[in-house]
Amino acid sequence: QVHMVESGGGTVQPGGSLRLSCTASGATFAISAMGWYRQATGKERDLVASVSRSGDTHYADSVKGRFAISRDNVKNAVYLQMNSLKPEDTAVYYCNAALRTYSSPTFYDYWGQGTQVTVNS
C-alpha cells in the first residue's frame, strides 16, 4: 500500500510565501513524474507544476516565475515553493506521483490528501 502525505498549507497574505511538501511511503518501487495540482472551489483540478525523475520541470503559465518545484528521489518527496502569492492562488493543492509498486510493473497515478492554501488579507 502506498501513502502520499502532504504538509505545508495554510493562510498567508498576498505577496507571502509557502512551501508544500509531499512524501510517498509504503510499497514504492519506482516513481517517474511527480507534480502538484490545485482545485479552487467550483473549478476543475489543474496542473500547477511537474518534475520528471531527471529534474525537467513544467509550470502553468499563471505560476511561472513565482513557484518552484523540486524533488528528492532518495526521500521519494516532491516540494513546491510558492512565492509572491496572490488571492487567485487560493485552492486545495494535491501532490501527484506516477508510481509503481513492488507487486506490479505498471505505473499508476497516486494522489495526496490535499492541503488548503488560502491567500487573503
Side-chain angles (χ1 to χ4, degrees), residues 9-93:
T11 299
V12 65
Q13 293 185 340
S17 298
L18 285 173
R19 187 174 188 253
L20 306 182
S21 300
C22 175
T23 301
S25 63
T28 302
F29 180 76
I31 302 176
S32 60
M34 303 184 81
W36 289 93
Y37 289 70
R38 67 186 180 187
Q39 187 168 19
T41 302
K43 296 187 177 181
E44 294 184 350
R45 188 177 298 187
D46 293 323
L47 176 67
V48 175
S50 64
V51 56
S52 70
R53 184 167 181 83
S54 61
D56 295 329
T57 59
H58 170 79
Y59 296 94
D61 287 343
S62 59
V63 306
K64 284 180 180 177
R66 300 188 298 122
F67 291 11
I69 189 170
S70 60
R71 64 187 285 173
D72 184 326
N73 291 332
V74 173
K75 296 180 178 179
N76 289 336
V78 62
Y79 310 98
L80 186 67
Q81 178 66 42
M82 304 185 293
N83 300 325
S84 302
L85 282 160
K86 304 175 180 180
E88 51 264 44
D89 295 317
T90 295
V92 178
Y93 284 69

Side-chain angles (χ1 to χ4, degrees), residues 1-5 23-31 76 99-104 109-111:
Q1 191 172 5
V2 174
H3 300 279
M4 302 280 290
V5 180
T23 301
S25 63
T28 302
F29 180 76
I31 302 176
N76 289 336
L99 180 157
R100 61 161 290 200
T101 65
Y102 289 98
S103 60
S104 172
D109 278 335
Y110 287 82
W111 295 89

